[in-house]
Amino acid sequence: LEKIYSEREYKSLWRDGEHIYLFYNNLAEADLEGLNFEDYHGEEIDRLLSAGDLDEDEAAGLDLLLSDAFLTYARHLYYGKLDPRELNEFWGVKKEEKDLASLLKNTIENGNFEEVFEDLKPNHQVSRDLKTSLAEFEELKEEKGDTKKIPEGELINPGDKDARIPAIAKRLNTLQVQVDTSAVDSTYSEALVEAIKEFQQSKSIQTDGIIGNSTISELNKSPQDRYKQ
């Protein structure tokens, strides 16, 4: 930021009100990308844009916040929010460097924010699938379902009797794994074993039909938990 503003003698970058709102509208969709609007001064920018007439200090502050938000958001979209090399020293995927300072100045001038951000986003099937799931859980997380936690405890093997079985069967139905709960009692039946295996496989945990605490933990995750995940 210091370099960008010093090169232009500390004059404002964001002079076109329409371009400011084009950027803001794109930034407001950060959550759809698995990022957090708040990480890009979202609430403070929102407050300043809603305030109407700004004094000189507030206008200068807004200019800096917008520029910093652009650079940070663009970097997160393109490089990722975490540096994979810090997580694993053997990370070997290289990415072409982006001149984000030039990108900022050119985009502010042209107002093509949507096009620029779309180009920065990862174009990978796994990423696209994750975004699709994120949108689905965005809808589901507001639904009020059964939020009572199923207690952890001893392993439940096929054929065992356990007081948690009815709650487990009901939760599977809530999670769209179909189980006929009309005849469910405390016995871990063959039909329920198959449903548990289906659930375990969908969550990439050991598909053995044995209900341990890892399976209970997955059953207890709400749509809100999944959305955050």
Side-chain angles (χ1 to χ4, degrees), residues 60-160:
L62 175 60
D63 210 87
L64 285 168
L65 288 175
L66 289 168
S67 295
D68 189 62
F70 180 99
L71 292 170
T72 308
Y73 185 48
R75 185 171 71 251
H76 286 172
L77 283 177
Y78 185 68
Y79 293 108
K81 193 170 180 179
L82 301 175
D83 183 349
R85 291 168 299 185
E86 293 180 3
L87 301 175
N88 189 326
E89 62 181 305
F90 299 110
W91 182 264
V93 179
K94 294 183 179 179
K95 200 147 194 177
E96 182 183 340
E97 292 293 319
K98 284 277 186 186
D99 183 351
L100 297 180
S102 295
L103 190 67
L104 167 65
K105 290 180 278 190
N106 292 337
T107 310
I108 290 176
E109 183 178 339
N110 298 320
N112 57 334
F113 294 96
E114 188 168 345
E115 177 186 334
V116 166
F117 290 140
E118 196 61 39
D119 185 57
L120 291 171
K121 294 173 188 176
N123 184 26
H124 190 284
Q125 188 60 47
V126 171
S127 177
R128 291 196 293 270
D129 289 346
L130 281 167
K131 283 171 61 176
T132 298
S133 293
L134 186 69
E136 291 170 356
F137 282 109
E138 166 69 23
E139 294 181 9
L140 289 172
K141 74 185 179 75
E142 302 304 329
E143 294 183 7
K144 292 183 179 178
D146 179 17
T147 57
K148 187 177 180 181
K149 299 291 186 184
I150 300 168
E152 295 185 351
E154 297 292 326
L155 292 176
I156 308 174
N157 291 287
D160 285 354

Side-chain angles (χ1 to χ4, degrees), residues 15 18 21 28 32 39 45 66 76-77 89 91 94 101 115 119-120 148 177 193 195 206 210 214-215 223:
R15 299 189 172 200
E18 182 180 349
Y21 280 97
L32 300 179
D39 288 345
I45 291 172
L66 289 168
H76 286 172
L77 283 177
E89 62 181 305
W91 182 264
K94 294 183 179 179
E115 177 186 334
D119 185 57
L120 291 171
K148 187 177 180 181
V177 179
V193 170
Q206 188 169 350
I210 298 170
S214 59
T215 299

